[in-house]
């Protein structure tokens, strides 16, 4: 007779675990189904992030400009030193040759001076230290040996200086590469953000910038503010002639500019050489801390680290090269994005 066994029932603990797991799974599925998709940042949020990246890129740009200027200066100095060393070596060789000819003449007559012989086979520095030999030299030979000694010291100093400058140049080039990479990274990140906008959002941003630029230009031209000097007027006129040209980091014209590239080129056109970077340009003249005392053509500086500069245009407006993606334009000082620090009358 077949036995009928009662099916084994799951334990209460197991039922509880399974039920809890199932409930959690259902809840998770429900949450996942009802969760709103992650929202893309708004146009204004993207603009704020992009503006911040552009500001950081400009900070790096001014450091890049400083490193580039230092590199060019070092290269010129090294070239000058190397030319001096080459000429000095020629002079030294001529001095040695003249002593050698004198020694040869003495040798042919069988009366070579032991002191000259010593010089030709040893260091003149050591030779001149041996006072006992000086009595055996003519005054002309002593003078010639002293010139050799002096020229050797000069060459040693110049070679040491060139060596140090070459080391400095190598580190400057490394710094230049880092800053260039930093700038490019910031600009790339900004471009990715801008690419995330729709065509309509991009058009809105462009329209906003155009309206701001037109308003600033009208405000600047409506007010007659006297220029600080004939040179300031000439610099400002140059900047006006560059309106509409694109911003490119590291550029000093004529097809494109960055902020300090525009101001340095403007004053160069007026016959005044000012430093290349915005921070260095702060020392180009007299500081002016009140906007009401600014005159057309004065340099105006923004942000705590002074990484942005433009030319005052009157009525609280400036002409400047703002950042990547923009052109040389008029703009209100209130919309630069950083505080006005002071002006400089060159």
């Amino acid at each position: 007779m077949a036995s009928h066994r009662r099916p084994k029932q799951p334990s209460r603990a197991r039922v509880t675990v399974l039920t809890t797991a199932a409930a959690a799974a259902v809840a998770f599925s429900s949450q996942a189904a009802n969760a709103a998709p992650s929202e893309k940042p708004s146009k204004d949020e993207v603009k704020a992030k992009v503006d911040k990246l552009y500001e950081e890129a400009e900070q790096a740009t001014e450091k890049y400009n400083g490193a580039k200027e230092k590199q060019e200066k070092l290269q010129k100095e090294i070239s000058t030193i190397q030319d001096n060393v080459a000429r000095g070596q020629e002079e030294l060789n001529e001095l040695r040759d003249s002593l050698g000819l004198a020694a040869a003449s003495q040798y042919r007559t069988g009366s070579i001076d032991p002191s000259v012989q010593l010089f030709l086979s040893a260091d003149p520095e050591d030779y001149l230290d041996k006072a006992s030999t000086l009595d055996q030299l003519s005054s002309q030979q002593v003078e010639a040996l002293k010139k050799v000694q002096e020229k050797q010291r000069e060459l040693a100093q110049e070679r040491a200086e060139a060596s140090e400058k070459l080391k400095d140049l190598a580190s400057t080039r490394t710094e230049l590469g880092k800053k260039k990479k930093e700038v490019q990274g910031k600009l790339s990140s900004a471009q990715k953000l801008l690419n995330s906008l729709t065509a309509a959002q991009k058009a809105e941003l462009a329209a906003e910038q155009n309206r701001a630029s037109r308003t600033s230009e009208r405000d600047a031209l409506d007010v007659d503010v006297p220029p600080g000097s004939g040179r300031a007027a000439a610099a400002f006129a140059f900047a006006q002639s560059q309106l509409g040209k694109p911003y490119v980091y590291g550029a000093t014209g004529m097809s494109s500019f960055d902020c300090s590239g525009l101001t340095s080129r403007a004053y160069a056109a007026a016959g005044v050489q000012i430093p290349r970077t915005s921070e260095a340009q702060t020392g180009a003249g007299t500081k002016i801390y009140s906007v009401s005392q600014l005159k057309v053509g004065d340099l105006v500086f923004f942000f705590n680290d002074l990484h942005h500069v433009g030319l005052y245009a009157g009525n609280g407006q400036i002409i400047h090269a703002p950042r990547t993606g923009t052109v040389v334009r008029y703009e209100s000082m209130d919309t630069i994005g950083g505080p006005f620090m002071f002006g400089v009358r060159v």
Side-chain angles (χ1 to χ4, degrees):
M1 181 175 173
S3 64
H4 298 280
R5 294 182 180 178
R6 186 177 180 181
K8 188 175 181 181
Q9 298 296 319
S11 67
R12 182 181 299 274
R14 188 180 178 200
V15 170
T16 302
V17 170
L18 289 173
T19 303
T20 304
V26 169
F28 179 80
S29 299
S30 175
Q31 290 172 0
N34 295 328
S38 58
E39 295 182 358
K40 294 178 68 173
S42 68
K43 171 179 66 69
D44 291 339
E45 289 172 335
V46 167
K47 183 179 182 302
K49 291 179 181 178
V50 167
D51 287 347
K52 180 63 176 174
L53 285 167
Y54 280 151
E55 180 188 338
E56 293 170 354
E58 190 176 30
Q59 289 174 311
T61 292
E62 287 304 298
K63 288 183 172 60
Y64 166 86
N65 290 338
K68 187 176 181 181
E69 187 177 38
K70 183 180 179 181
Q71 174 185 255
E72 292 169 353
K73 181 181 178 183
L74 283 169
Q75 286 174 329
K76 289 179 182 177
E77 291 175 350
I78 290 168
S79 178
T80 299
I81 292 172
Q82 289 173 336
D83 288 344
N84 290 341
V85 167
R87 284 194 298 270
Q89 188 62 53
E90 289 178 3
E91 293 173 9
L92 179 60
N93 292 340
E94 289 174 2
L95 288 169
R96 282 174 169 166
D97 287 345
S98 66
L99 283 171
L101 288 172
S105 175
Q106 291 177 354
Y107 180 77
R108 284 194 299 270
T109 62
S111 60
I112 184 168
D113 193 318
S115 59
V116 175
Q117 187 177 20
L118 177 62
F119 163 71
L120 293 173
S121 61
D123 187 346
E125 185 94 26
D126 179 62
Y127 169 77
L128 288 175
D129 287 340
K130 302 182 187 306
S132 61
T133 65
L134 292 177
D135 294 337
Q136 303 175 39
L137 290 171
S138 68
S139 60
Q140 185 176 3
Q141 288 172 327
V142 169
E143 189 63 29
L145 285 172
K146 285 183 177 179
K147 286 181 179 179
V148 169
Q149 183 184 35
E150 183 180 352
K151 183 57 65 176
Q152 284 181 320
R153 279 198 298 264
E154 288 177 5
L155 288 173
Q157 289 173 353
E158 288 179 332
R159 287 190 175 110
E161 185 180 357
S163 178
E164 287 302 311
K165 287 187 181 295
L166 284 168
K167 290 178 184 177
D168 198 2
L169 179 60
S171 62
T172 300
R173 283 174 172 163
T174 299
E175 178 68 13
L176 187 63
K178 288 180 180 177
K179 290 303 172 187
K180 183 176 182 179
K181 188 175 181 180
E182 182 180 351
V183 172
Q184 291 173 333
K186 300 288 185 185
L187 296 180
S188 177
S189 297
Q191 190 58 54
K192 286 179 181 177
L193 282 168
L194 289 173
N195 290 342
S196 71
L197 295 175
T198 65
Q201 288 175 321
K202 291 176 183 177
E204 288 176 16
L205 276 180
E208 289 173 6
Q209 291 183 353
N210 288 335
R211 282 195 299 273
S213 182
R214 285 196 299 270
T215 299
S216 294
E217 181 175 2
R218 185 176 61 252
D219 290 343
L221 296 177
D222 282 348
V223 177
D224 183 20
V225 179
S229 69
R231 293 176 300 182
F236 184 74
F238 175 88
Q240 282 183 308
S241 71
Q242 307 309 307
L243 288 167
K245 291 188 177 179
Y247 176 102
V248 174
Y249 79 90
T252 58
M254 291 289 292
S255 59
S256 57
F257 298 89
D258 64 17
C259 71
S260 57
L262 175 65
T263 51
S264 60
R265 190 62 176 264
Y267 269 95
V272 183
Q273 297 299 321
I274 65 174
R276 168 65 178 91
T277 65
S278 59
E279 185 176 2
Q281 287 176 15
T282 62
T286 304
K287 289 185 173 62
I288 301 162
Y289 292 92
S290 172
V291 175
S292 64
Q293 294 178 354
L294 291 172
K295 295 182 179 180
V296 170
D298 287 341
L299 297 171
V300 280
F301 297 88
F302 300 86
F303 299 94
N304 293 329
D305 62 355
L306 307 170
H307 71 259
H308 191 71
V309 62
L311 292 170
Y312 191 63
N315 198 29
Q317 314 296 312
I318 66 170
I319 289 180
H320 68 149
R323 59 178 182 273
T324 299
T326 65
V327 298
V328 176
R329 68 189 188 193
Y330 288 96
E331 189 164 353
S332 168
M333 293 170 66
D334 295 332
T335 61
I336 299 302
F340 165 71
M341 303 306 294
F342 51 79
V344 166
R345 186 156 297 149
V346 176

PDB file of all heavy atoms in Angstrom, residues 94-106:
ATOM      1  N   GLU A  94      93.685  85.055 -29.331  1.00  0.00           N
ATOM      2  CA  GLU A  94      94.630  86.024 -29.888  1.00  0.00           C
ATOM      3  C   GLU A  94      95.698  86.399 -28.865  1.00  0.00           C
ATOM      4  O   GLU A  94      96.886  86.530 -29.206  1.00  0.00           O
ATOM      5  CB  GLU A  94      93.879  87.277 -30.348  1.00  0.00           C
ATOM      6  CG  GLU A  94      93.024  87.059 -31.591  1.00  0.00           C
ATOM      7  CD  GLU A  94      92.182  88.276 -31.929  1.00  0.00           C
ATOM      8  OE1 GLU A  94      92.304  89.308 -31.215  1.00  0.00           O
ATOM      9  OE2 GLU A  94      91.399  88.209 -32.897  1.00  0.00           O
ATOM     10  N   LEU A  95      95.268  86.575 -27.606  1.00  0.00           N
ATOM     11  CA  LEU A  95      96.234  86.898 -26.557  1.00  0.00           C
ATOM     12  C   LEU A  95      97.235  85.761 -26.365  1.00  0.00           C
ATOM     13  O   LEU A  95      98.444  85.990 -26.217  1.00  0.00           O
ATOM     14  CB  LEU A  95      95.497  87.174 -25.240  1.00  0.00           C
ATOM     15  CG  LEU A  95      94.703  88.485 -25.155  1.00  0.00           C
ATOM     16  CD1 LEU A  95      93.821  88.479 -23.911  1.00  0.00           C
ATOM     17  CD2 LEU A  95      95.640  89.680 -25.139  1.00  0.00           C
ATOM     18  N   ARG A  96      96.732  84.548 -26.374  1.00  0.00           N
ATOM     19  CA  ARG A  96      97.619  83.387 -26.214  1.00  0.00           C
ATOM     20  C   ARG A  96      98.568  83.265 -27.406  1.00  0.00           C
ATOM     21  O   ARG A  96      99.738  82.927 -27.257  1.00  0.00           O
ATOM     22  CB  ARG A  96      96.771  82.125 -26.062  1.00  0.00           C
ATOM     23  CG  ARG A  96      96.179  81.962 -24.678  1.00  0.00           C
ATOM     24  CD  ARG A  96      95.242  80.786 -24.630  1.00  0.00           C
ATOM     25  NE  ARG A  96      94.870  80.447 -23.257  1.00  0.00           N
ATOM     26  CZ  ARG A  96      93.870  79.639 -22.936  1.00  0.00           C
ATOM     27  NH1 ARG A  96      93.117  79.108 -23.902  1.00  0.00           N
ATOM     28  NH2 ARG A  96      93.606  79.375 -21.676  1.00  0.00           N
ATOM     29  N   ASP A  97      98.022  83.529 -28.603  1.00  0.00           N
ATOM     30  CA  ASP A  97      98.847  83.436 -29.803  1.00  0.00           C
ATOM     31  C   ASP A  97      99.993  84.445 -29.740  1.00  0.00           C
ATOM     32  O   ASP A  97     101.131  84.138 -30.133  1.00  0.00           O
ATOM     33  CB  ASP A  97      98.005  83.699 -31.051  1.00  0.00           C
ATOM     34  CG  ASP A  97      97.075  82.535 -31.367  1.00  0.00           C
ATOM     35  OD1 ASP A  97      97.290  81.439 -30.799  1.00  0.00           O
ATOM     36  OD2 ASP A  97      96.134  82.726 -32.173  1.00  0.00           O
ATOM     37  N   SER A  98      99.689  85.660 -29.260  1.00  0.00           N
ATOM     38  CA  SER A  98     100.733  86.683 -29.187  1.00  0.00           C
ATOM     39  C   SER A  98     101.835  86.271 -28.216  1.00  0.00           C
ATOM     40  O   SER A  98     103.026  86.487 -28.477  1.00  0.00           O
ATOM     41  CB  SER A  98     100.137  88.027 -28.778  1.00  0.00           C
ATOM     42  OG  SER A  98      99.639  87.976 -27.455  1.00  0.00           O
ATOM     43  N   LEU A  99     101.445  85.659 -27.096  1.00  0.00           N
ATOM     44  CA  LEU A  99     102.449  85.171 -26.152  1.00  0.00           C
ATOM     45  C   LEU A  99     103.232  83.999 -26.731  1.00  0.00           C
ATOM     46  O   LEU A  99     104.425  83.856 -26.520  1.00  0.00           O
ATOM     47  CB  LEU A  99     101.775  84.754 -24.843  1.00  0.00           C
ATOM     48  CG  LEU A  99     101.370  85.896 -23.904  1.00  0.00           C
ATOM     49  CD1 LEU A  99     100.526  85.361 -22.761  1.00  0.00           C
ATOM     50  CD2 LEU A  99     102.585  86.624 -23.375  1.00  0.00           C
ATOM     51  N   GLY A 100     102.494  83.164 -27.472  1.00  0.00           N
ATOM     52  CA  GLY A 100     103.158  82.023 -28.099  1.00  0.00           C
ATOM     53  C   GLY A 100     104.186  82.466 -29.119  1.00  0.00           C
ATOM     54  O   GLY A 100     105.277  81.885 -29.220  1.00  0.00           O
ATOM     55  N   LEU A 101     103.875  83.524 -29.893  1.00  0.00           N
ATOM     56  CA  LEU A 101     104.827  84.034 -30.880  1.00  0.00           C
ATOM     57  C   LEU A 101     106.068  84.595 -30.197  1.00  0.00           C
ATOM     58  O   LEU A 101     107.194  84.420 -30.675  1.00  0.00           O
ATOM     59  CB  LEU A 101     104.154  85.128 -31.722  1.00  0.00           C
ATOM     60  CG  LEU A 101     103.089  84.641 -32.716  1.00  0.00           C
ATOM     61  CD1 LEU A 101     102.368  85.840 -33.334  1.00  0.00           C
ATOM     62  CD2 LEU A 101     103.738  83.784 -33.814  1.00  0.00           C
ATOM     63  N   ALA A 102     105.858  85.284 -29.067  1.00  0.00           N
ATOM     64  CA  ALA A 102     106.996  85.830 -28.330  1.00  0.00           C
ATOM     65  C   ALA A 102     107.881  84.700 -27.822  1.00  0.00           C
ATOM     66  O   ALA A 102     109.117  84.774 -27.885  1.00  0.00           O
ATOM     67  CB  ALA A 102     106.491  86.683 -27.164  1.00  0.00           C
ATOM     68  N   ALA A 103     107.235  83.650 -27.324  1.00  0.00           N
ATOM     69  CA  ALA A 103     108.003  82.517 -26.813  1.00  0.00           C
ATOM     70  C   ALA A 103     108.769  81.832 -27.939  1.00  0.00           C
ATOM     71  O   ALA A 103     109.919  81.406 -27.772  1.00  0.00           O
ATOM     72  CB  ALA A 103     107.066  81.527 -26.127  1.00  0.00           C
ATOM     73  N   ALA A 104     108.122  81.713 -29.092  1.00  0.00           N
ATOM     74  CA  ALA A 104     108.784  81.060 -30.226  1.00  0.00           C
ATOM     75  C   ALA A 104     110.007  81.839 -30.665  1.00  0.00           C
ATOM     76  O   ALA A 104     111.049  81.273 -31.009  1.00  0.00           O
ATOM     77  CB  ALA A 104     107.795  80.926 -31.382  1.00  0.00           C
ATOM     78  N   SER A 105     109.873  83.175 -30.656  1.00  0.00           N
ATOM     79  CA  SER A 105     111.003  84.021 -31.042  1.00  0.00           C
ATOM     80  C   SER A 105     112.170  83.836 -30.079  1.00  0.00           C
ATOM     81  O   SER A 105     113.330  83.730 -30.487  1.00  0.00           O
ATOM     82  CB  SER A 105     110.547  85.476 -31.065  1.00  0.00           C
ATOM     83  OG  SER A 105     111.635  86.331 -31.325  1.00  0.00           O
ATOM     84  N   GLN A 106     111.844  83.803 -28.777  1.00  0.00           N
ATOM     85  CA  GLN A 106     112.887  83.604 -27.780  1.00  0.00           C
ATOM     86  C   GLN A 106     113.533  82.226 -27.925  1.00  0.00           C
ATOM     87  O   GLN A 106     114.730  82.057 -27.732  1.00  0.00           O
ATOM     88  CB  GLN A 106     112.309  83.776 -26.372  1.00  0.00           C
ATOM     89  CG  GLN A 106     111.911  85.214 -26.051  1.00  0.00           C
ATOM     90  CD  GLN A 106     111.274  85.328 -24.679  1.00  0.00           C
ATOM     91  OE1 GLN A 106     111.039  84.316 -24.016  1.00  0.00           O
ATOM     92  NE2 GLN A 106     110.990  86.553 -24.267  1.00  0.00           N
TER      93      GLN A 106
END
